[in-house]
Amino acid sequence: MTAATATTADIFRPALHYAARNTWLNDPNGLIFHGGVYHLYYQNNPLDNVWGNMSWGHATSPDLVTWTEHPVAIACDAEEDIFSGSIVFDRDNTSGFGTDSAPPLVAIYTSAFKPGSTHAGLQAQSLAYSRDGGYTWTKHTANPVLSRGSAEFRDPKVIRYDGGAGSYWVMVAVEATDFQVVLYRSADLLSWEPLSTFGPANATGGVWECPDLFPLPVDGDPGNLKWVLTVNLNPGGPNNGSAGQYFVGDFDGTTFTSETTVTEGLQDPDKLGEYQWLDWGRDYYAAVSFSDAPGNRRLMIAWMNNWEYANQIPTSPWRSPMTLARELSLRTVDGSPRLIQQATGGFEALSGAGQSFTLASTELSDCTRVLDGAAGTIQRIEATFTPGDADEFGLVVRGNGAHGTRIGIRPAPGTLHVDRRTSGRTDFHASFPSIDAAPIRVVDGSYKLTIYVDRCSVEIFAQDGQVTMTELIFPAQTSADVAVYALGGTATLKSLDITRFA
Ligand code: FRU
C-alpha cells in the first residue's frame, strides 16, 4: 500500500502538535537542537498509516509548535528495520565521520534485523551520520557497533558525560523483557564497553523501552544536581497500557543510584500508584528529551498514543500525533525530588492567538454551567478552584450538550480525573472509552489546572506541573463548548483564563 490519501475530512489533525502529513508515526527519536532549529525524528512507516517498515521520519521547528516535514532520514532496507534511538552532535569529531572543522551529527539507532539478515533475530545498536546538519544520513558500513546477542536490546539514548569520572559518551538502552536499563561508555561512539545495569525496579508490568538519563538542578540550585532516569513501559501504566516512569538519584559516571525506588525487583501490584510517573494519562509514551537544547533546558516530547489501540485511532490519512514539548525541572515536594513539567513552545505566535476569555470568581453549587463566549477547539485553559463541600468539580471541554471530556477533581480521595467516555468517537477500541485518575493534593488551599485542548487531545498540567495527564479524544468539530461544574455541593472557580489559538 502507498501512503494513505486524504479521503475523509481531516477533522482531527492537530494545530499545536506534530503529526506526519499522511503516514504513521510512533516514538520520537534523535531529538536535538542543531543549526538553529529543533529536529524531531520519529518512528515512521513511510508507506502506510499503521505500524511497519520502520524508518526515521524527520521534521524541524523553530519554536516547537510549527513543524515542517522533511524526507525520510534513515530508511529501513532488506536487512533491518530502523528502531528508536538518539542523535548527538559529535563536536570533536570523535567518530571520525566528519572533520575537525565540520563535525558530524551521529545517530545511534537500533537495528531490528530481519529474517534474511546475517544477524536475523537480533536487536543491536548501529550508527548513521549526517554532514549536512541532519537532513541526509549515511549508514556506517561496519554496523552494528554494539550487540549483546539479544533479541530485545534497543532504544539507545547517548549523552555526553562530563563529570568527576571523566569525559566520554554514555549510552542508556534497555534489555526490554528483563526490565533492565543497560549503560555503556565510549570514547568514539564506535566501540562500547559496559558500565552497569539498573533494574528491575518499580513498575515492571510491561517491557521497558526508550530510556533517558539527564541531570537537573534541584529547586533551581546549580550546586545541587541530581540525575533523572526515565523508562517507558508497555503495558503496565497507572491507567493501563503504555506509560513512562522516572527515578531520581545520582550518576557517578558508571552507575545510576536511585533514591526514589519503592520496589526493588519486580513490581508490587499494590504500589503502582506510589511510583513516579511522567504522566498519568493514557497517551504519553516513549518520552525522550532533546540533546543540546538552548539555555541548558531539559525539553521532552512523547508519542501521544497508547499501544493498546494505537493502530485503530480514527485519524486519516495520518495516524498518531506527538505531544507538546515540555520543560522539566526538579522540585522538592514533601522532602523528595519530583519532576515538574510545563508545556513550552511558541504558542503565542499562532494565528488567532491571544483572543481570550476571562471569568471573575464564580460560586458553583451543584450545577454545570456552559460558558457563553468561551467555546473553542484549540485553546489553553487556566482554571483555579477552591473546594467547598462538592464531591467533585472541574470543567468539561470539547462539549456539546450531554457530551464532552470531563476533567474533574475529587478532593476527598485526592484525585484528578479525565473522563472521555462521551468525548466523541470511542467505538474503535473497547479500551478507549475510559475514566482515568491521578493523585492530586491541594496546594495553598486551591487546585490549579492548565489544560491544552487541541483537535484530538487534552494535556493537563495540574498544580503548576506537579501532575500531568495526557489523553487523546476524537470529538465532533461542533463540540466546542467549555463548561464548569460542581457536583453534590459547592466549589469556587477563583479564576478562569482561556487563550484561543484558532
Ligand atoms: C516503543 C518501541 C521501541 C522500538 C520502537 C519500534 O514504542 O517499541 O522499543 O524501538 O517502538 O517502532
Side-chain angles (χ1 to χ4, degrees), residues 348-414:
E348 318 311 327
L350 291 176
S351 73
Q355 297 166 282
S356 62
F357 172 90
T358 304
L359 196 67
S361 186
T362 305
E363 300 300 322
L364 302 169
S365 181
D366 214 3
C367 63
T368 297
R369 193 175 301 167
V370 175
L371 300 173
D372 271 352
T377 56
I378 305 157
Q379 49 187 202
R380 177 177 55 219
I381 302 173
E382 294 168 284
T384 303
F385 294 90
T386 53
D389 59 7
D391 300 326
E392 178 180 325
F393 51 83
L395 301 108
V396 182
V397 301
R398 298 301 309 266
N400 183 5
H403 299 286
T405 300
R406 186 172 287 263
I407 299 166
I409 290 156
R410 292 185 193 153

Side-chain angles (χ1 to χ4, degrees), residues 89 91-93 98-104:
F89 176 41
R91 279 183 186 76
D92 298 326
N93 192 30
T99 62
D100 290 353
S101 58

Side-chain angles (χ1 to χ4, degrees), residues 252-499:
D252 63 3
T254 300
T255 305
F256 174 78
T257 313
S258 166
E259 60 181 82
T260 60
T261 298
V262 176
T263 308
E264 302 278 358
L266 296 180
Q267 176 178 320
D268 178 340
D270 295 339
K271 295 194 169 161
L272 199 60
E274 290 175 40
Y275 304 149
Q276 302 310 314
W277 297 99
L278 290 170
D279 193 284
W280 290 77
R282 298 285 297 284
D283 300 297
Y284 192 86
Y285 194 57
V288 69
S289 72
F290 277 88
S291 301
D292 298 341
N296 222 7
R297 297 169 82 203
R298 187 55 51 181
L299 305 177
M300 185 168 255
I301 291 182
W303 176 49
M304 192 154 57
N305 210 336
N306 188 317
W307 281 119
E308 280 191 336
Y309 44 71
N311 281 289
Q312 284 89 45
I313 63 169
T315 60
S316 174
W318 54 282
R319 194 176 266 118
S320 300
M322 293 296 177
T323 66
L324 294 177
R326 300 175 172 191
E327 178 162 11
L328 274 50
S329 57
L330 273 181
R331 189 188 299 162
T332 307
V333 178
D334 292 338
S336 293
R338 295 283 181 255
L339 277 183
I340 304 295
Q341 306 181 67
Q342 311 282 0
T344 187
F347 304 109
E348 318 311 327
L350 291 176
S351 73
Q355 297 166 282
S356 62
F357 172 90
T358 304
L359 196 67
S361 186
T362 305
E363 300 300 322
L364 302 169
S365 181
D366 214 3
C367 63
T368 297
R369 193 175 301 167
V370 175
L371 300 173
D372 271 352
T377 56
I378 305 157
Q379 49 187 202
R380 177 177 55 219
I381 302 173
E382 294 168 284
T384 303
F385 294 90
T386 53
D389 59 7
D391 300 326
E392 178 180 325
F393 51 83
L395 301 108
V396 182
V397 301
R398 298 301 309 266
N400 183 5
H403 299 286
T405 300
R406 186 172 287 263
I407 299 166
I409 290 156
R410 292 185 193 153
T415 48
L416 168 68
H417 297 262
V418 178
D419 182 349
R420 63 179 181 184
R421 291 173 301 172
T422 63
S423 57
R425 283 209 53 190
T426 60
D427 57 349
F428 53 89
H429 194 282
S431 84
F432 185 82
S434 57
I435 174 159
D436 303 311
I440 192 171
R441 289 188 337 183
V442 71
V443 175
D444 296 333
S446 57
Y447 295 91
K448 184 173 168 197
L449 302 177
T450 301
I451 306 165
Y452 285 82
V453 178
D454 202 345
R455 293 201 183 96
C456 70
S457 60
V458 289
E459 278 151 293
I460 303 157
F461 298 81
Q463 304 299 45
D464 286 314
Q466 283 191 34
V467 178
T468 67
M469 288 188 88
T470 299
E471 303 235 339
L472 289 171
I473 52 170
F474 300 101
Q477 252 169 323
T478 47
S479 295
D481 285 347
V482 176
V484 291
Y485 71 92
L487 300 178
T490 59
T492 306
L493 175 64
K494 296 299 277 186
S495 65
L496 179 70
D497 290 287
I498 300 180
T499 304

Side-chain angles (χ1 to χ4, degrees), residues 18 38-42 57-61 67-71 135:
Y18 181 69
Y38 294 91
H39 291 263
L40 164 63
Y41 301 83
Y42 49 87
H58 183 204
T60 53
S61 173
W67 295 95
T68 303
E69 185 167 329
H70 300 287
Y135 295 92

Side-chain angles (χ1 to χ4, degrees), residues 26-27 43 51 54 83-84 154-155 209-210 285-286 307:
N26 55 290
D27 315 358
Q43 289 288 282
W51 189 88
M54 293 325 294
F83 274 16
S84 288
R154 60 180 176 268
D155 306 342
E209 299 185 319
C210 302
Y285 194 57
W307 281 119

Side-chain angles (χ1 to χ4, degrees), residues 38-344:
Y38 294 91
H39 291 263
L40 164 63
Y41 301 83
Y42 49 87
Q43 289 288 282
N44 181 224
N45 181 350
L47 304 177
D48 206 342
N49 66 1
V50 290
W51 189 88
N53 305 305
M54 293 325 294
S55 302
W56 280 24
H58 183 204
T60 53
S61 173
D63 61 6
L64 296 165
V65 173
T66 50
W67 295 95
T68 303
E69 185 167 329
H70 300 287
V72 167
I74 309 176
C76 64
D77 59 23
E79 286 270 306
E80 59 174 2
D81 275 321
I82 313 298
F83 274 16
S84 288
S86 53
I87 289 174
V88 293
F89 176 41
D90 185 13
R91 279 183 186 76
D92 298 326
N93 192 30
T94 61
S95 62
F97 289 139
T99 62
D100 290 353
S101 58
L105 289 173
V106 180
I108 307 92
Y109 67 87
T110 298
S111 295
F113 288 108
K114 294 182 175 173
S117 156
T118 47
H119 305 288
L122 295 184
Q123 293 185 350
Q125 313 324 322
S126 290
L127 306 178
Y129 56 89
S130 173
R131 293 175 176 153
D132 66 356
Y135 295 92
T136 60
W137 292 83
T138 306
K139 289 181 185 173
H140 176 44
T141 48
N143 282 335
V145 295
L146 177 59
S147 177
R148 294 160 58 97
S150 163
E152 299 282 353
F153 173 37
R154 60 180 176 268
D155 306 342
K157 174 73 194 269
V158 174
I159 62 168
R160 186 75 195 172
Y161 172 78
D162 263 304
S167 180
Y168 43 87
W169 301 109
V170 169
M171 177 195 295
V172 286
V174 290
E175 275 295 346
T177 49
D178 295 343
F179 318 109
Q180 207 160 53
V181 176
V182 293
L183 292 86
Y184 285 81
R185 67 175 274 177
S186 175
D188 57 8
L189 300 165
L190 296 160
S191 66
W192 293 89
E193 59 183 86
L195 284 176
S196 61
T197 63
F198 176 83
N202 287 5
T204 57
V207 293
W208 279 22
E209 299 185 319
C210 302
D212 200 351
L213 178 67
F214 47 85
L216 280 174
V218 181
D219 301 322
D221 174 4
N224 184 14
L225 284 186
K226 289 196 190 284
W227 286 77
V228 180
L229 178 71
T230 62
V231 189
N232 294 272
L233 86 160
N234 177 59
N239 284 296
N240 293 320
S242 317
Q245 63 176 331
Y246 70 91
F247 301 85
V248 186
D250 185 39
F251 177 60
D252 63 3
T254 300
T255 305
F256 174 78
T257 313
S258 166
E259 60 181 82
T260 60
T261 298
V262 176
T263 308
E264 302 278 358
L266 296 180
Q267 176 178 320
D268 178 340
D270 295 339
K271 295 194 169 161
L272 199 60
E274 290 175 40
Y275 304 149
Q276 302 310 314
W277 297 99
L278 290 170
D279 193 284
W280 290 77
R282 298 285 297 284
D283 300 297
Y284 192 86
Y285 194 57
V288 69
S289 72
F290 277 88
S291 301
D292 298 341
N296 222 7
R297 297 169 82 203
R298 187 55 51 181
L299 305 177
M300 185 168 255
I301 291 182
W303 176 49
M304 192 154 57
N305 210 336
N306 188 317
W307 281 119
E308 280 191 336
Y309 44 71
N311 281 289
Q312 284 89 45
I313 63 169
T315 60
S316 174
W318 54 282
R319 194 176 266 118
S320 300
M322 293 296 177
T323 66
L324 294 177
R326 300 175 172 191
E327 178 162 11
L328 274 50
S329 57
L330 273 181
R331 189 188 299 162
T332 307
V333 178
D334 292 338
S336 293
R338 295 283 181 255
L339 277 183
I340 304 295
Q341 306 181 67
Q342 311 282 0
T344 187

